[in-house]
Amino acid sequence: MSVVIVGGNDCMVRRYKDLCKQYDCQAKVFTQMKDGLKNKIGCPDLLVLFTSTMSHKMLRYALNETKGQDNMIVARSHSSSMSALRNILEEHAS
């Protein structure tokens, strides 16, 4: 399963990827708005949006880039903690 995480904390990127690996998921993490974000998201199975740590512009880019993908799951969380990501992965990746 492929997972794209948008938002979150810079210092937590490695921990997010390690947790996704425990659930047999490949993860891409975008914590900041950078050039080419629109082209790098791709077609994930699960899109995780940590809404408290991302800008509105970043949210719009992520949702517009993945618009029209019927088999993709979008999970939003206001918290960007490890337990929030674990709960999302428990629900959708197991």
Side-chain angles (χ1 to χ4, degrees):
M1 177 178 229
S2 62
V3 177
V4 172
I5 300 170
V6 182
N9 298 315
D10 289 332
C11 61
M12 298 284 286
V13 170
R14 172 63 22 210
R15 294 181 70 195
Y16 293 150
K17 288 183 178 183
D18 289 343
L19 182 62
C20 288
K21 189 177 264 189
Q22 290 177 6
Y23 286 89
D24 294 325
C25 298
Q26 297 236 329
K28 290 183 190 176
V29 181
F30 301 100
T31 57
Q32 296 178 0
M33 185 69 183
K34 294 184 180 175
D35 292 336
L37 173 68
K38 288 172 56 173
N39 301 326
K40 293 180 182 177
I41 291 179
C43 301
D45 297 318
L46 175 62
L47 177 66
V48 179
L49 302 172
F50 290 138
T51 57
S52 66
T53 55
M54 65 190 306
S55 66
H56 293 285
K57 183 179 180 181
M58 197 170 176
L59 177 65
R60 281 195 314 267
Y61 275 152
L63 291 177
N64 285 337
E65 183 64 24
T66 57
K67 188 189 305 185
Q69 296 179 15
D70 297 331
N71 57 351
M72 184 188 62
I73 301 167
V74 178
R76 296 179 188 219
S77 175
H78 188 68
S79 172
S80 58
S81 66
M82 288 296 288
S83 63
L85 180 59
R86 186 176 292 114
N87 290 339
I88 291 170
L89 291 173
E90 280 287 329
E91 183 178 343
H92 298 292
S94 57

